[in-house]
Amino acid sequence: MSEIKNLNPACIWKNFYALTQVPRPSGHLEKIQQFLLDFGKKAGVEVFKDSADNIVMRKPASPGMENKKGVILQAHMDMVPQKTPESTHNFETDPIQPWIDGEWVKAKGTTLGADNGLGVAAIMAVMEDKTLKHGPIEALITADEETGMFGANALPEGELNGDILMNLDSETWGKFVIGSAGGIDITATLDYKEVETDADDAAVKVTIKGLRGGHSGLEIHEGRGNANKLLVRLVREAIEECEARLAGWQGGNMRNAIPFKAEAVLTLPKENVTALKELAADWLEDFQDEFKGIESGIEVICEDVETPKREVPVEIQDNLIDAIYACHDGVVRMIPSYPDVVETSSNLAIINIGDGKASLKILARSSREDMKDYIVKTLESCFNMAGMKVETAGSYGGWDPNPDSEILHLLLKEYKDLFDKDGIIQVDHAGLECSIILGKYPHLDVVSLGPTMKSPHTTTERALIETVAPFWQLLKKTLEDIPEK
C-alpha cells in the first residue's frame, strides 16, 4: 500500500497516502480536521478551523511577488463511504487500503477517496513547498461537501481575501470546468401503523445487487441501473402475481451515489414461494438483457428468512410501491446549448421502509433554477399522491459559466505551452462548491480542474497515475504566472 508514496510527483502522492490513513467519511471529520491543523503548523503556515468546520490555511507571497492577485486553492476534506458487500471496513476507524493496479491507484474493497483527497494533497504540497514561486495563497478545505456542502454553505463572509478561486475537485485532466449544476435534497416520509402478518405465511428476502452504482452527477447519463428502481418492478409483480406483501425495504446509502444494492422482505403464502423465486429468475434475465453493455454483474437473490411478525398494510404498501415506481429517476433533459451535458436529473438514492416508517431520499440537480423547481414539483406531486410528507433541504444554485474568465485563459495558455495540446472548456452536471462560494464572494474569478479519476462514489473509484504529475506541473506554473492586481 505504501508504494503509492513513491509515485511521481512524490509531494502529492505522499500526502494523499497520509490522507488515506485518516478516517474521513462525511459527518465524521474530527480526525481529519486535527490532521490538517497539525499539518499546517508543521508546514509553518497560518492554519485554523473556522466556524463552519472548514480548515483554512494562509501562505504569504514569495519575496517580490506580493502584488500578485491572491489565489484561493479549494477542495473538500470528506469522502463518500462505500464498500463492497464482503468488506468489514469501518470508515470511522479504519484506514483506506490503496494499491497500484497498472496505471491506476485503487482501494481494496472501498471507495478510494481520491474525490477529493487528491485536491487536498495538492494543497498540502503547495503549503509545504519552500521552492515554489507564488503570490499570496489561501487554502479552503471544506467540511461535508458530499452530504450537503455544509462547509461551503456556512462559510463566513469576509474570511477569505483572495481574488481567484481554483477549485481542485474536477475529475478529468485537460478539462477546465467553468460551470456546474445546482442541487436540492428531497425527502418524502410517511408514518403508518403496521399490521400483523398471517402466521401461516413464509418470508423471502429479495436482493438486487452487483450494479455499478456511480456518481449521480457525473454518471447519471450513462443509463446505469438504479437498484431501487429495478427492485420495485420485481416487487410490484410479486404483489400482483404471488400474493406477496411488503414487510421492509432498504436500498442505497448516499444521496449523491446511484444505488447499487437494494433489498426487500416479502411475506406470502408458502405455496407461492417457488413462484416468487421463478419470477425473480425471470426478472434477472430481463435486467441482464436490458442493461447489456452497461451492467455486467447484476444479481437477483432470494433467501428464505424468518417471517416477521408485522408488515405494511395493503393500502399503504400499494401507495408506496406506486410512488417508487412513478418517481422520476435519471436524466430529465440535456442543456440545449451544451447538448452533451445533462441539465436536469434526479437520483432515487435511498429507500427505508419498516417499523412503521417509510422514507425516500432523492438528490435532484439542474443548471437552471426554473428546471430545478420543475423537478422538485414533479417529485412532490408524485409523493403527495401517495399521501407522503415532502420536505426539501440543502438547496444550492448553479454556477453560471464565465467564458471570459482571466484564470481560465491563463490555464489554457499554460496548458498549451506545457503540453502542446488545447485544453477543453467544460460545464459539469456534478455539483461543485464554486456556486455557493461565489454567492458569498461574487468578485472571485473561478475555475475548477484536477487529475483524472473514474467512478467516484463507488468501490471501483480509481485515480489515473499519469495525470497527477502534469496536473502538479500546471498548478505550479500557473501560480507562478498569476497576474498582478
Side-chain angles (χ1 to χ4, degrees):
M1 293 186 295
S2 61
E3 290 177 357
I4 72 167
K5 292 189 291 186
N6 300 321
L7 293 172
N8 178 42
C11 60
I12 288 183
W13 286 110
K14 72 178 179 67
N15 285 324
F16 178 68
Y17 177 77
L19 289 168
T20 66
Q21 304 307 290
V22 183
R24 53 189 178 95
S26 303
H28 302 276
L29 302 180
E30 299 82 6
K31 293 176 182 176
I32 189 62
Q33 288 165 340
Q34 190 58 54
F35 170 84
L36 291 170
L37 289 169
D38 292 343
F39 169 85
K41 292 173 185 174
K42 185 177 179 182
V45 299
E46 179 186 356
V47 60
F48 62 92
K49 182 171 74 170
D50 69 13
S51 59
D53 288 334
N54 305 312
I55 299 298
V56 177
M57 301 182 195
R58 294 192 178 119
K59 186 178 183 183
S62 303
M65 301 183 75
E66 292 83 1
N67 290 330
K68 295 273 189 178
K69 289 185 175 181
V71 174
I72 304 162
L73 300 176
Q74 192 261 315
H76 64 83
M77 67 184 79
D78 60 317
M79 65 173 285
V80 170
Q82 296 275 35
K83 62 183 179 181
T84 58
E86 64 274 9
S87 173
T88 60
H89 187 90
N90 184 333
F91 282 97
E92 296 180 31
T93 58
D94 299 341
I96 301 296
Q97 299 182 56
W99 64 291
I100 299 171
D101 182 13
E103 59 185 349
W104 301 94
V105 170
K106 302 178 179 179
K108 294 185 177 179
T110 68
T111 34
L112 173 63
D115 174 14
N116 188 211
L118 280 175
V120 176
I123 290 173
M124 294 168 66
V126 168
M127 289 294 158
E128 66 183 353
D129 192 325
K130 309 301 183 187
T131 67
L132 291 182
K133 296 178 181 179
H134 55 80
I137 296 178
E138 293 171 288
L140 174 63
I141 305 176
T142 48
D144 289 326
E145 185 266 357
E146 300 288 9
T147 52
M149 302 194 181
F150 296 115
N153 275 305
L155 176 67
E157 295 183 21
E159 179 174 275
L160 302 175
N161 304 311
D163 307 289
I164 295 165
L165 179 72
M166 295 176 68
N167 171 281
L168 306 182
D169 192 18
S170 288
E171 280 111 1
T172 304
W173 169 241
K175 293 186 177 181
F176 301 93
V177 178
I178 61 169
S180 64
I184 189 168
D185 294 338
I186 302 164
T187 302
T189 56
L190 179 68
D191 292 342
Y192 59 89
K193 186 176 181 180
E194 291 186 302
V195 295
E196 290 188 6
T197 305
D198 189 322
D200 294 327
D201 276 359
V204 176
K205 182 169 73 173
V206 181
T207 302
I208 292 181
K209 64 178 185 176
L211 297 164
R212 295 171 68 189
H215 191 296
S216 71
L218 296 174
E219 292 157 331
I220 197 73
H221 63 290
E222 293 184 8
R224 299 184 182 189
N226 178 314
N228 285 321
K229 293 294 283 185
L230 269 59
L231 183 58
V232 74
R233 296 161 69 179
L234 192 163
V235 169
R236 181 167 182 163
E237 188 167 354
I239 291 170
E240 293 172 349
E241 302 295 331
C242 303
E243 302 177 67
R245 295 283 300 277
L246 179 65
W249 184 311
Q250 288 78 43
N253 66 350
M254 293 288 292
R255 283 189 196 262
N256 55 7
I258 302 168
F260 60 84
K261 178 183 177 183
E263 60 187 36
V265 175
L266 304 176
T267 65
L268 70 168
K270 292 186 174 93
E271 62 269 20
N272 293 346
V273 169
T274 299
L276 171 62
K277 294 179 178 179
E278 291 173 350
L279 180 69
D282 290 342
W283 272 109
L284 175 59
E285 288 187 14
D286 286 350
F287 293 149
Q288 288 172 333
D289 182 63
E290 185 176 326
F291 289 92
K292 188 181 299 181
I294 301 173
E295 302 280 1
S296 60
I298 304 176
E299 297 180 67
V300 178
I301 299 171
C302 293
E303 302 171 80
D304 298 323
V305 295
E306 183 179 350
T307 304
K309 291 185 172 58
R310 307 185 73 79
E311 61 192 15
V312 183
V314 171
E315 65 276 10
I316 299 296
Q317 162 198 280
D318 291 348
N319 285 343
L320 289 172
I321 296 302
D322 283 349
I324 296 167
Y325 217 112
C327 172
H328 185 278
D329 177 79
V331 175
V332 175
R333 74 170 194 167
M334 312 298 278
I335 300 176
S337 55
Y338 293 89
D340 294 330
V341 180
V342 179
E343 178 204 82
T344 307
S345 73
S346 63
N347 177 45
L348 178 54
I350 304 170
I351 298 178
N352 287 300
I353 301 172
D355 299 323
K357 295 183 180 296
S359 172
L360 281 64
K361 297 182 179 180
I362 295 162
L363 173 57
R365 304 177 190 263
S366 184
S367 52
R368 289 182 61 97
E369 284 300 303
D370 57 346
M371 287 301 294
K372 188 169 75 170
D373 182 65
Y374 167 79
I375 187 62
V376 168
K377 285 185 167 57
T378 297
L379 295 167
E380 283 180 341
S381 300
C382 171
F383 299 135
N384 285 340
M385 287 189 288
M388 304 185 78
K389 177 183 178 182
V390 182
E391 298 175 292
T392 59
S395 178
Y396 57 94
W399 168 21
D400 291 330
N402 175 20
D404 298 322
S405 160
E406 184 179 44
I407 184 61
L408 168 68
H409 287 284
L410 175 60
L411 280 163
L412 291 172
K413 176 186 179 301
E414 304 283 21
Y415 184 82
K416 177 73 171 180
D417 291 345
L418 288 169
F419 310 114
D420 196 27
K421 290 188 289 187
D422 292 324
I424 298 171
I425 302 172
Q426 180 167 310
V427 176
D428 266 356
H429 186 57
L432 291 169
E433 294 164 290
C434 303
S435 62
I436 299 171
I437 298 170
L438 270 169
K440 298 169 184 283
Y441 297 85
H443 70 282
L444 289 175
D445 188 11
V446 186
V447 71
S448 179
L449 69 154
T452 294
M453 61 190 75
K454 296 290 186 182
S455 301
H457 304 180
T458 77
T459 56
T460 59
E461 179 186 3
R462 56 204 184 275
L464 186 58
I465 296 168
E466 66 181 20
T467 63
V468 177
F471 162 68
W472 175 237
Q473 190 179 357
L474 178 65
L475 184 60
K476 288 190 297 180
K477 188 70 169 64
T478 303
L479 290 174
E480 183 176 344
D481 292 342
I482 292 291
E484 293 188 351
K485 293 183 179 181

